mmCIF file of all heavy atoms in Angstrom:
data_model
loop_
_atom_site.group_PDB
_atom_site.id
_atom_site.type_symbol
_atom_site.label_atom_id
_atom_site.label_comp_id
_atom_site.label_asym_id
_atom_site.label_seq_id
_atom_site.Cartn_x
_atom_site.Cartn_y
_atom_site.Cartn_z
ATOM 1 N N SER A 292 96.843 103.168 109.244
ATOM 2 C CA SER A 292 95.575 102.517 109.587
ATOM 3 C C SER A 292 95.596 101.990 111.020
ATOM 4 O O SER A 292 94.578 102.000 111.707
ATOM 5 C CB SER A 292 95.290 101.381 108.603
ATOM 6 O OG SER A 292 96.327 100.422 108.627
ATOM 7 N N GLU A 293 96.787 101.551 111.478
ATOM 8 C CA GLU A 293 96.898 101.052 112.849
ATOM 9 C C GLU A 293 96.678 102.179 113.854
ATOM 10 O O GLU A 293 95.962 102.016 114.849
ATOM 11 C CB GLU A 293 98.269 100.409 113.082
ATOM 12 C CG GLU A 293 98.506 99.105 112.335
ATOM 13 C CD GLU A 293 98.861 99.348 110.855
ATOM 14 O OE1 GLU A 293 99.097 100.529 110.486
ATOM 15 O OE2 GLU A 293 98.904 98.369 110.088
ATOM 16 N N GLU A 294 97.275 103.332 113.610
ATOM 17 C CA GLU A 294 97.098 104.480 114.501
ATOM 18 C C GLU A 294 95.640 104.935 114.512
ATOM 19 O O GLU A 294 95.077 105.260 115.560
ATOM 20 C CB GLU A 294 97.999 105.635 114.059
ATOM 21 C CG GLU A 294 99.483 105.386 114.264
ATOM 22 C CD GLU A 294 100.343 106.493 113.666
ATOM 23 O OE1 GLU A 294 100.022 106.953 112.540
ATOM 24 O OE2 GLU A 294 101.314 106.903 114.321
ATOM 25 N N ARG A 295 95.067 104.963 113.334
ATOM 26 C CA ARG A 295 93.684 105.388 113.224
ATOM 27 C C ARG A 295 92.764 104.437 114.003
ATOM 28 O O ARG A 295 91.867 104.869 114.722
ATOM 29 C CB ARG A 295 93.279 105.447 111.755
ATOM 30 C CG ARG A 295 91.972 106.210 111.506
ATOM 31 C CD ARG A 295 91.563 106.115 110.042
ATOM 32 N NE ARG A 295 92.651 106.442 109.140
ATOM 33 C CZ ARG A 295 93.009 107.674 108.803
ATOM 34 N NH1 ARG A 295 92.359 108.694 109.322
ATOM 35 N NH2 ARG A 295 94.004 107.878 107.965
ATOM 36 N N GLN A 296 92.982 103.123 113.853
ATOM 37 C CA GLN A 296 92.135 102.145 114.513
ATOM 38 C C GLN A 296 92.246 102.246 116.027
ATOM 39 O O GLN A 296 91.252 102.158 116.754
ATOM 40 C CB GLN A 296 92.496 100.724 114.051
ATOM 41 C CG GLN A 296 91.548 99.640 114.538
ATOM 42 C CD GLN A 296 90.125 99.830 114.032
ATOM 43 O OE1 GLN A 296 89.905 100.417 112.983
ATOM 44 N NE2 GLN A 296 89.147 99.345 114.789
ATOM 45 N N ARG A 297 93.482 102.440 116.535
ATOM 46 C CA ARG A 297 93.665 102.580 117.986
ATOM 47 C C ARG A 297 92.903 103.800 118.502
ATOM 48 O O ARG A 297 92.273 103.754 119.556
ATOM 49 C CB ARG A 297 95.158 102.697 118.329
ATOM 50 C CG ARG A 297 95.918 101.396 118.317
ATOM 51 C CD ARG A 297 97.246 101.516 119.038
ATOM 52 N NE ARG A 297 98.103 102.557 118.462
ATOM 53 C CZ ARG A 297 98.975 102.352 117.486
ATOM 54 N NH1 ARG A 297 99.106 101.123 116.968
ATOM 55 N NH2 ARG A 297 99.727 103.333 117.028
ATOM 56 N N ALA A 298 92.985 104.889 117.766
ATOM 57 C CA ALA A 298 92.298 106.120 118.188
ATOM 58 C C ALA A 298 90.781 105.930 118.170
ATOM 59 O O ALA A 298 90.085 106.375 119.091
ATOM 60 C CB ALA A 298 92.704 107.276 117.285
ATOM 61 N N TYR A 299 90.264 105.280 117.135
ATOM 62 C CA TYR A 299 88.831 105.056 117.045
ATOM 63 C C TYR A 299 88.337 104.183 118.196
ATOM 64 O O TYR A 299 87.261 104.419 118.769
ATOM 65 C CB TYR A 299 88.468 104.404 115.715
ATOM 66 C CG TYR A 299 88.592 105.313 114.514
ATOM 67 C CD1 TYR A 299 88.587 104.788 113.222
ATOM 68 C CD2 TYR A 299 88.712 106.693 114.656
ATOM 69 C CE1 TYR A 299 88.698 105.614 112.097
ATOM 70 C CE2 TYR A 299 88.835 107.518 113.547
ATOM 71 C CZ TYR A 299 88.827 106.965 112.277
ATOM 72 O OH TYR A 299 88.943 107.784 111.173
ATOM 73 N N GLN A 300 89.102 103.165 118.547
ATOM 74 C CA GLN A 300 88.707 102.286 119.643
ATOM 75 C C GLN A 300 88.699 103.037 120.970
ATOM 76 O O GLN A 300 87.792 102.861 121.795
ATOM 77 C CB GLN A 300 89.649 101.084 119.709
ATOM 78 C CG GLN A 300 89.446 100.086 118.571
ATOM 79 C CD GLN A 300 90.439 98.946 118.594
ATOM 80 O OE1 GLN A 300 91.505 99.040 119.228
ATOM 81 N NE2 GLN A 300 90.113 97.858 117.907
ATOM 82 N N GLN A 301 89.708 103.873 121.164
ATOM 83 C CA GLN A 301 89.767 104.651 122.397
ATOM 84 C C GLN A 301 88.598 105.640 122.466
ATOM 85 O O GLN A 301 87.956 105.787 123.503
ATOM 86 C CB GLN A 301 91.096 105.404 122.496
ATOM 87 C CG GLN A 301 91.313 106.098 123.831
ATOM 88 C CD GLN A 301 92.668 106.775 123.924
ATOM 89 O OE1 GLN A 301 93.485 106.706 122.994
ATOM 90 N NE2 GLN A 301 92.930 107.437 125.036
ATOM 91 N N LEU A 302 88.303 106.298 121.340
ATOM 92 C CA LEU A 302 87.194 107.243 121.292
ATOM 93 C C LEU A 302 85.872 106.548 121.558
ATOM 94 O O LEU A 302 85.039 107.037 122.330
ATOM 95 C CB LEU A 302 87.171 107.939 119.928
ATOM 96 C CG LEU A 302 86.004 108.901 119.662
ATOM 97 C CD1 LEU A 302 85.963 110.001 120.724
ATOM 98 C CD2 LEU A 302 86.124 109.508 118.265
ATOM 99 N N ALA A 303 85.671 105.397 120.924
ATOM 100 C CA ALA A 303 84.426 104.651 121.103
ATOM 101 C C ALA A 303 84.212 104.277 122.564
ATOM 102 O O ALA A 303 83.101 104.368 123.093
ATOM 103 C CB ALA A 303 84.433 103.404 120.224
ATOM 104 N N GLY A 304 85.279 103.877 123.236
ATOM 105 C CA GLY A 304 85.164 103.518 124.644
ATOM 106 C C GLY A 304 84.815 104.705 125.522
ATOM 107 O O GLY A 304 84.002 104.604 126.442
ATOM 108 N N LEU A 305 85.417 105.851 125.225
ATOM 109 C CA LEU A 305 85.171 107.049 126.029
ATOM 110 C C LEU A 305 83.740 107.549 125.898
ATOM 111 O O LEU A 305 83.132 107.974 126.878
ATOM 112 C CB LEU A 305 86.134 108.167 125.616
ATOM 113 C CG LEU A 305 87.591 108.056 126.063
ATOM 114 C CD1 LEU A 305 88.449 109.082 125.330
ATOM 115 C CD2 LEU A 305 87.699 108.265 127.574
ATOM 116 N N ILE A 306 83.175 107.503 124.669
ATOM 117 C CA ILE A 306 81.863 108.122 124.444
ATOM 118 C C ILE A 306 80.734 107.100 124.286
ATOM 119 O O ILE A 306 79.599 107.483 124.005
ATOM 120 C CB ILE A 306 81.899 109.062 123.227
ATOM 121 C CG1 ILE A 306 82.122 108.297 121.930
ATOM 122 C CG2 ILE A 306 82.982 110.121 123.409
ATOM 123 C CD1 ILE A 306 82.033 109.184 120.678
ATOM 124 N N GLY A 307 81.023 105.828 124.472
ATOM 125 C CA GLY A 307 79.975 104.825 124.541
ATOM 126 C C GLY A 307 79.300 104.468 123.242
ATOM 127 O O GLY A 307 78.171 103.973 123.245
ATOM 128 N N LEU A 308 79.956 104.672 122.103
ATOM 129 C CA LEU A 308 79.382 104.318 120.807
ATOM 130 C C LEU A 308 80.137 103.132 120.208
ATOM 131 O O LEU A 308 81.307 102.910 120.516
ATOM 132 C CB LEU A 308 79.454 105.510 119.847
ATOM 133 C CG LEU A 308 78.623 106.743 120.199
ATOM 134 C CD1 LEU A 308 78.777 107.801 119.114
ATOM 135 C CD2 LEU A 308 77.149 106.386 120.394
ATOM 136 N N PRO A 309 79.497 102.367 119.328
ATOM 137 C CA PRO A 309 80.193 101.254 118.668
ATOM 138 C C PRO A 309 81.368 101.776 117.840
ATOM 139 O O PRO A 309 81.259 102.829 117.191
ATOM 140 C CB PRO A 309 79.113 100.636 117.772
ATOM 141 C CG PRO A 309 77.816 101.093 118.350
ATOM 142 C CD PRO A 309 78.073 102.442 118.922
ATOM 143 N N VAL A 310 82.457 101.048 117.854
ATOM 144 C CA VAL A 310 83.639 101.491 117.111
ATOM 145 C C VAL A 310 83.342 101.558 115.611
ATOM 146 O O VAL A 310 83.906 102.392 114.893
ATOM 147 C CB VAL A 310 84.844 100.563 117.411
ATOM 148 C CG1 VAL A 310 84.614 99.161 116.842
ATOM 149 C CG2 VAL A 310 86.129 101.170 116.869
ATOM 150 N N THR A 311 82.436 100.687 115.125
ATOM 151 C CA THR A 311 82.086 100.735 113.704
ATOM 152 C C THR A 311 81.423 102.061 113.333
ATOM 153 O O THR A 311 81.620 102.581 112.237
ATOM 154 C CB THR A 311 81.144 99.570 113.346
ATOM 155 O OG1 THR A 311 80.017 99.586 114.233
ATOM 156 C CG2 THR A 311 81.865 98.231 113.461
ATOM 157 N N LEU A 312 80.638 102.619 114.259
ATOM 158 C CA LEU A 312 79.998 103.908 114.024
ATOM 159 C C LEU A 312 81.031 105.025 114.009
ATOM 160 O O LEU A 312 80.989 105.926 113.162
ATOM 161 C CB LEU A 312 78.944 104.173 115.106
ATOM 162 C CG LEU A 312 78.174 105.493 114.975
ATOM 163 C CD1 LEU A 312 77.288 105.472 113.730
ATOM 164 C CD2 LEU A 312 77.326 105.737 116.220
ATOM 165 N N VAL A 313 81.970 104.974 114.936
ATOM 166 C CA VAL A 313 83.041 105.976 114.982
ATOM 167 C C VAL A 313 83.869 105.911 113.703
ATOM 168 O O VAL A 313 84.245 106.941 113.137
ATOM 169 C CB VAL A 313 83.926 105.754 116.230
ATOM 170 C CG1 VAL A 313 85.150 106.670 116.190
ATOM 171 C CG2 VAL A 313 83.119 106.002 117.503
ATOM 172 N N GLU A 314 84.137 104.704 113.229
ATOM 173 C CA GLU A 314 84.898 104.534 111.980
ATOM 174 C C GLU A 314 84.135 105.118 110.800
ATOM 175 O O GLU A 314 84.704 105.799 109.944
ATOM 176 C CB GLU A 314 85.159 103.043 111.730
ATOM 177 C CG GLU A 314 86.164 102.410 112.665
ATOM 178 C CD GLU A 314 86.264 100.917 112.446
ATOM 179 O OE1 GLU A 314 85.383 100.346 111.746
ATOM 180 O OE2 GLU A 314 87.205 100.294 112.966
ATOM 181 N N ARG A 315 82.830 104.844 110.748
ATOM 182 C CA ARG A 315 82.022 105.325 109.635
ATOM 183 C C ARG A 315 82.023 106.853 109.555
ATOM 184 O O ARG A 315 81.981 107.429 108.460
ATOM 185 C CB ARG A 315 80.586 104.802 109.761
ATOM 186 C CG ARG A 315 79.704 105.149 108.561
ATOM 187 C CD ARG A 315 78.478 104.277 108.487
ATOM 188 N NE ARG A 315 77.520 104.565 109.531
ATOM 189 C CZ ARG A 315 77.219 103.738 110.540
ATOM 190 N NH1 ARG A 315 77.820 102.567 110.630
ATOM 191 N NH2 ARG A 315 76.321 104.081 111.450
#
Side-chain angles (χ1 to χ4, degrees):
S292 59
E293 291 79 10
E294 291 174 318
R295 195 185 310 278
Q296 188 62 27
R297 282 197 302 270
Y299 289 166
Q300 288 176 341
Q301 187 177 358
L302 176 58
L305 285 168
I306 67 175
L308 295 182
V310 68
T311 54
L312 181 67
V313 172
E314 289 174 347
R315 186 161 70 248

